[in-house]
Amino acid sequence: MELHRTGSISFRGLSVQEVMRLAGEACKCGVAYFPPGSAIPENGYTSHDADEVSFIIEGSLRVESGGETFQAGPGDMCHIPRGEDHRSANLGHEPCRLAWFLLDL
């Protein structure tokens, strides 16, 4: 077993922690905490050079991706293909916590 701790970023109460990298840069994963009213990115959209998979642990998020809007809650898994513009926002009254994975396999 290997234990990896790499660091975190936070802004306006939203925190994203990268927990692990496997096979070089092929897999990155971590946890994100979205307080009510937070969004990532705060303005506009983002995209990655890897597929993104997120698993909602608690709370809910509005996810905009590929020109569609989805409401994701506990137990839901979101897959965003590499290169697709997307945005996530917690419009609810409860915090949202999720596990995220960036897969460049």
Side-chain angles (χ1 to χ4, degrees):
M1 184 191 98
E2 293 180 63
L3 175 65
H4 300 266
R5 291 193 177 124
T6 59
S8 63
I9 60 169
S10 64
F11 50 95
R12 288 187 162 196
L14 184 143
S15 67
V16 177
Q17 180 178 21
E18 182 178 302
V19 175
M20 183 177 353
R21 294 177 186 207
L22 297 173
E25 296 292 313
C27 176
K28 297 177 188 175
C29 61
V31 294
Y33 173 81
F34 288 75
S38 64
I40 193 167
E42 290 185 48
N43 298 299
Y45 293 86
T46 189
S47 65
H48 311 286
D49 292 334
D51 288 333
E52 179 178 339
V53 176
S54 298
F55 181 80
I56 309 297
I57 299 167
E58 64 183 358
S60 63
L61 278 181
R62 182 184 72 191
V63 181
E64 298 174 38
S65 182
E68 296 185 77
T69 302
F70 305 91
Q71 188 68 28
D76 289 340
M77 188 178 309
C78 304
H79 170 248
I80 300 169
R82 70 185 66 222
E84 187 165 280
D85 289 338
H86 61 281
R87 179 174 204 273
S88 299
N90 181 351
L91 303 179
H93 300 289
E94 302 295 325
C96 178
R97 188 176 317 274
L98 60 84
W100 59 266
F101 304 84
L102 290 178
L103 305 168
D104 188 17
L105 303 174

